[in-house]
Structures are given as C-alpha cells and as structure tokens.
Amino acid sequence: LHDLGIPCVVITSISFPSEPDTITLLASLVHSANGGEGGARKERVKMNVKKLPQSFTGTGDLIAALLLAWFQRGADLKTVVEYATATVQAVLSKTLQASDGSVRSRELQLIASRDQIANPQVPDSLRAERLP
C-alpha cells in the first residue's frame, strides 16, 4: 500500500492460529524526505492484545477515530498506536462492566469512558514493539 502512495497503514484484529487468545495489530508509516523527493524513513510497530470474552460493534470506527486524533496531535506512530489501543481497551472494559449479557448492553460506553478517551493510560501489557 505504501507503493500506492498511502503513507500510513494500520491492520487491526489479526488472529494467528498459534495464538488463539491474542489479537495482533501492525502499523507502518512512511515519512517522505524533502517533501516527497529523495529517501523515505519508515516506522513500523507491532502490538499484541489479549482477546476479550465478548464481541463488540463499533471498535473499528473507534480505533480509526482515535488513530486520526492522536496523529493530528503530532504523536509518533508508537505513541499513536499505544494511546488508541489503550483507549479502546478501557472503553471495552467499561462496556463489559456495564453489560448484562444482552445485545443492547454491549453498546460501547463512550460517554462513561470520556476521561480515559481524553487521557489514556497505557499499561505495560499494551506497549507496542518497534519493528525494523
């Protein structure tokens, strides 16, 4: 995708048979040098996240919005991925706490999570690994 001119690619929810309880996220960002002329610098990160016992609707939209918001604030790729993923996990945790098992109760608890959205706390388990 980078060869097609797309500078940032994020792939979420990758599941490998060898790690059935884990979701992997991969992200890659190409910084063009000199306004697109000359060489380019690449950033790549990987993060593994423990799968939760329930499925949710809207997490893709949420992480896309969070990635965009943190990029707009000027954060580097690793920080963007960590903040966005930590925020999604915090929202999902709050949603699980509020759930009574019905489909309606699985609605993402965005308002109740506004503090975590504004000020994400990244636990050590959600630190991204820089890739070569």
Side-chain angles (χ1 to χ4, degrees), residues 3 9 22 24 27 33 45 60 69-70 78 89 92 112 121:
D3 290 342
V9 178
T22 301
T24 300
V45 297
W70 286 108
K78 183 177 184 296
Q89 290 298 303
L92 294 181
Q121 302 298 309

Side-chain angles (χ1 to χ4, degrees), residues 59-125:
T59 55
D61 293 334
L62 178 58
I63 198 161
L66 292 165
L67 290 166
L68 178 61
W70 286 108
F71 271 125
Q72 287 297 105
R73 290 185 178 188
D76 66 283
L77 181 63
K78 183 177 184 296
T79 301
V80 165
V81 166
E82 288 174 347
Y83 281 6
T85 305
T87 302
V88 169
Q89 290 298 303
V91 170
L92 294 181
S93 177
K94 192 151 303 255
T95 302
L96 277 173
Q97 291 170 7
S99 177
D100 63 9
S102 68
V103 173
R104 184 174 187 95
S105 71
R106 286 189 263 165
E107 184 174 316
L108 296 180
Q109 298 294 304
L110 296 173
I111 302 301
S113 304
R114 65 186 171 275
D115 291 337
Q116 290 89 352
I117 293 169
N119 300 297
Q121 302 298 309
V122 182
D124 288 341
S125 63

